[in-house]
Amino acid sequence: MQDRCDCRRALAPEPFAAPDAPVRRVPDRPVDVLSVALDVSVDLEGRSVEGRVEHRVKAVAETVDAVTLDAVALTILDARLDGVDAPFSHDGERLVVRPPKPWRRGDEHVVEISYRGRPERGLWFVAPDADRPDKPLQAWTQGQDEDSRFWFPCFDHPQHKTPTEVRASVPRGLLAVSNGALVERVDRGDRTIFHWRQKAPHASYLVTLVVGAFDVVEDRAGAVPLKYCVPRGRRGDALRTFGRTPKMVELFGRLFSAPYPYEKYDQLVVSDFIFGGMENTSATTLYEYVMLDASVEDAADSDWLIAHELGHQWFGDLVTCRDWAHAWLNEGFATYCETLWYEMGVDPERGRKHLLDTARAYFDEARESYRRPIVSGRYDAPTDLFDRHLYEKGACVLHHLRLELGDEVFFRAVSRYVAAHRDGSTETVDLRRAAEAESGKDLGAFFDQWVFAPGHPELQVRHRWDAAAKRLTLSVKQTQRRDDGTPLFRLRTRCRVWFARGHVDRTFEVSDAEHRFQWDLDDDPVGVRFLAEGAPLVALDFERPEGFLVTQLERDDDLFALAEAADALGASGARGATEALAKALA
């Protein structure tokens, strides 16, 4: 499988979901943020920032006697309310500004903060060094999960969404890119000021600023302007790497019944990025290894990462998880967008292969590290949640939901979910309600077993053939450990029996700890497959004769079934198994 260095994982340790971590709550929101305007001057060589941020807010609580912003390791120079100096306190993490008298519900006010600092996180600086004297001079932000507070005072939680403006003063000759549309670019002496405006509301962690010198290649996806900002000297590789973006934009807009929602879409390749990519609204930042040169274009692509971050423009940016406990609504969807692109934009079998790799990444973590519910409010820091349960299992659960509903209903449900919560924030129940509204089904049990409980089905299957009675008996046990809250799962399986000529299929439903299915056949079987068709989150232990496995490998048309047979043959090590695998590979 490709190294899954998407927006949270490159160069980062695998997180651990500690069972004894505290339960995190959604913080109170006494004010709504109506808009944010940020004026910032970036000193790349001094690795520092100085600026002023203006928050226009509206009181939501009945009375508000203090406004609290997140501001870590910044020096606060002054605070003003509605243009008048205001008292404030700052403990190094929280900035509290107090109005002269309490605000009443519905009151609107402007909070201005002037500050400076050398950010410890959130805003990162890149410069040449002894090991890499050719490294470019750059600065770039990485706000997820709650690191924007390190470079400007803000309401740094995903439930706060607001339009933003960023005016960035940078050394002349460098480009500064932020969210939304470029309003103005003005040269003043040895500095240039770039003024960007993002009209649609978005969360603080999605506010971006990238500063550096790039080769810029322009493209379009219908009416949407695209820019690929790549390292100097790599212009020729830009279309090789990003050239399929217009088709992705069209595909996702059609699947989700929502055209690309922002003024433009930039993809910026920077040096030393701490993750694979970050879906900042309308301006994704990507690590340098996304770039492809001519020597690898026939053997590799970066489409999975590009599709992942583009998918976030709908799932995460346009519709944002209300709290990190439900972050799979961001990451599971974005990861599933990888499979959707390969399936519908490249080749269906390529999509199946990618989904299989996605499931295997989750199984690795579940087998070797831990299992947890996808939705969990128990964590030490939000980043603890950004694991293979959130990404890969989340994507596979969406595929299971698609199988449960059928393609037409599934994509109607997703479109309903996007339309109902556009520019807002959601929890898992919102997706469930959209799916129930479109399908007419009660999906409570589905979400309970796949999203709110840990683990996955582990099926031990044994078979017995009664030649005299022409009866096949399949004994099925769910063997997953259940002392950690893992449930007995309910799932449908489609089994296949091959004969010397032809085959027959039959569907069984597994729901209990043990089942015994009997199947009367017209001929002796030469192969038996027992699999949850198209459902990746099922681990199977099915002992069969080598000949049965060879038949499945040679004659099955389901990629998951082929992979299951190949794995079983590979584990046997027998000479016949090796020959069958070599033949299949050829």
Side-chain angles (χ1 to χ4, degrees):
M1 180 178 181
Q2 301 174 76
D3 179 24
R4 298 196 57 78
C5 43
D6 38 42
C7 65
R8 298 300 298 162
R9 221 173 277 122
L11 308 182
E14 288 291 336
F16 177 70
D20 56 350
V23 176
R24 300 293 179 177
R25 305 296 184 189
V26 179
D28 292 338
R29 192 176 71 174
V31 299
D32 268 340
V33 189
L34 303 179
S35 66
V36 172
L38 174 61
D39 282 274
V40 61
S41 179
V42 182
D43 181 351
L44 281 81
E45 294 183 351
R47 296 175 176 261
S48 64
V49 63
E50 185 168 352
R52 179 180 61 84
V53 61
E54 176 184 290
H55 296 272
R56 190 163 60 89
V57 300
K58 181 178 181 179
V60 175
E62 290 302 316
T63 60
V64 177
D65 58 10
V67 179
T68 302
L69 294 94
D70 300 293
V72 179
L74 296 173
T75 300
I76 306 302
L77 303 177
D78 63 58
R80 297 169 67 85
L81 292 178
D82 301 323
V84 178
D85 288 343
F88 67 90
S89 61
H90 183 225
D91 63 5
E93 294 187 358
R94 300 286 185 271
L95 170 62
V96 180
V97 183
R98 299 191 179 279
K101 62 179 182 178
W103 298 341
R104 300 298 181 188
R105 178 177 171 82
D107 290 350
E108 294 186 17
H109 299 274
V110 175
V111 183
E112 295 177 75
I113 308 296
S114 297
Y115 69 98
R116 63 170 175 254
R118 293 172 56 87
E120 299 174 357
R121 287 156 55 182
L123 177 62
W124 301 79
F125 295 89
V126 178
D129 55 36
D131 294 327
R132 284 189 57 188
D134 60 336
K135 191 182 294 186
L137 188 66
Q138 292 179 344
W140 42 259
T141 58
Q142 169 55 40
Q144 195 180 44
D145 36 56
E146 295 177 350
D147 284 359
S148 288
R149 63 187 68 189
F150 285 87
W151 71 283
F152 71 99
C154 57
F155 297 91
D156 201 8
H157 190 271
Q159 68 167 326
H160 289 280
K161 298 183 71 173
T162 182
T164 59
E165 292 188 54
V166 175
R167 294 179 180 84
S169 172
V170 301
R172 192 165 183 171
L174 298 183
L175 177 66
V177 177
S178 188
N179 314 92
L182 182 62
V183 177
E184 187 179 36
R185 172 177 176 167
V186 178
D187 292 323
R188 291 182 182 170
D190 61 352
R191 308 283 290 181
T192 301
I193 299 173
F194 293 83
H195 179 190
W196 295 88
R197 179 181 294 138
Q198 168 74 44
K199 294 181 180 179
H202 60 154
S204 294
Y205 77 89
L206 296 167
V207 177
T208 186
L209 179 62
V210 174
V211 181
F214 300 93
D215 282 345
V216 179
V217 174
E218 297 187 0
D219 202 353
R220 296 194 74 81
V224 181
L226 310 175
K227 286 184 180 177
Y228 316 132
C229 302
V230 301
R232 286 285 177 87
R234 301 294 301 271
R235 178 184 295 271
D237 297 328
L239 288 177
R240 178 179 295 110
T241 303
F242 297 107
R244 289 165 294 282
T245 302
K247 190 175 179 182
M248 293 181 189
V249 171
E250 185 278 329
L251 173 66
F252 293 163
R254 175 165 47 84
L255 287 180
F256 313 141
S257 302
Y260 177 81
Y262 303 113
E263 295 94 333
K264 49 87 168 154
Y265 188 53
D266 297 335
Q267 295 177 87
L268 301 106
V269 180
V270 302
S271 292
D272 292 356
F273 196 54
I274 56 176
F275 302 117
M278 181 59 212
E279 66 274 11
N280 307 302
T281 315
S282 81
T284 283
T285 308
L286 297 154
Y287 74 164
E288 54 207 307
Y289 303 106
V290 73
M291 297 295 296
L292 304 174
D293 61 31
S295 67
V296 300
E297 65 177 331
D298 293 332
D301 67 58
S302 298
D303 284 11
W304 66 275
L305 180 56
I306 294 167
H308 181 106
E309 306 304 343
L310 176 62
H312 268 307
Q313 301 300 310
W314 286 266
F315 304 103
D317 297 9
L318 185 65
V319 180
T320 309
C321 64
R322 179 171 175 263
D323 184 62
W324 298 118
H326 297 269
W328 84 285
L329 296 171
N330 296 8
E331 299 300 348
F333 264 111
T335 304
Y336 194 46
C337 282
E338 303 169 21
T339 289
L340 293 176
W341 162 248
Y342 283 123
E343 175 190 344
M344 300 181 186
V346 180
D347 176 76
E349 281 302 297
R350 180 71 184 278
R352 299 275 289 166
K353 172 63 167 59
H354 193 79
L355 184 64
L356 177 62
D357 287 343
T358 299
R360 285 174 166 171
Y362 157 70
F363 282 134
D364 286 346
E365 183 171 84
R367 180 177 59 253
E368 298 170 7
S369 299
Y370 56 86
R371 304 180 184 195
R372 68 171 183 86
I374 292 178
V375 172
S376 174
R378 191 177 293 280
Y379 53 89
D380 288 312
T383 192
D384 296 343
L385 298 173
F386 286 77
D387 57 7
R388 300 197 186 279
H389 288 66
L390 203 72
Y391 287 75
E392 284 85 356
K393 186 180 182 184
C396 292
V397 166
L398 289 170
H399 190 74
H400 279 249
L401 182 61
R402 181 178 167 189
L403 294 174
E404 178 75 19
L405 303 181
D407 277 16
E408 182 178 349
V409 176
F410 173 78
F411 286 109
R412 281 208 319 262
V414 172
S415 298
R416 185 186 189 105
Y417 168 75
V418 171
H421 304 287
R422 184 185 182 100
D423 293 330
S425 56
T426 61
E427 295 180 344
T428 301
V429 67
D430 297 307
L431 177 61
R432 174 187 162 184
R433 285 170 177 161
E436 289 179 337
E438 291 297 335
S439 67
K441 293 184 176 182
D442 180 354
L443 296 170
F446 177 93
F447 281 87
D448 284 346
Q449 72 176 13
W450 292 115
V451 179
F452 294 105
H456 54 270
E458 298 178 40
L459 304 184
Q460 181 190 80
V461 181
R462 299 293 182 262
H463 78 287
R464 183 171 60 84
W465 170 241
D466 184 337
K470 297 292 185 183
R471 178 170 295 162
L472 177 69
T473 299
L474 296 169
S475 299
V476 182
K477 294 182 180 180
Q478 295 200 47
T479 61
Q480 63 270 17
R481 55 175 292 187
R482 296 174 56 202
D483 57 350
D484 62 352
T486 299
L488 289 174
F489 286 82
R490 180 181 294 272
L491 65 151
R492 289 191 303 274
T493 65
R494 197 181 84 172
C495 302
R496 175 167 293 183
V497 170
W498 287 272
F499 308 113
R501 293 184 179 180
H503 66 266
V504 292
D505 293 332
R506 185 170 173 183
T507 298
F508 299 106
E509 183 172 275
V510 174
S511 58
D512 296 332
E514 297 188 29
H515 289 273
R516 179 168 292 180
F517 302 115
Q518 292 187 328
W519 194 352
D520 294 330
L521 302 173
D522 295 331
D523 202 353
D524 292 350
V526 298
V528 179
R529 174 239 279 171
F530 187 95
L531 204 66
E533 184 185 22
L537 291 177
V538 180
L540 185 65
D541 169 17
F542 186 6
E543 291 183 358
R544 284 152 290 171
E546 182 182 300
F548 277 29
L549 292 170
V550 171
T551 296
Q552 182 171 325
L553 187 64
E554 291 178 345
R555 295 172 60 180
D556 211 318
D557 55 5
D558 183 284
L559 181 64
F560 288 178
L562 292 172
E564 187 265 328
D567 287 344
L569 284 167
S572 78
R575 179 178 178 84
T578 303
E579 292 173 352
L581 288 168
K583 181 180 178 181
L585 181 63

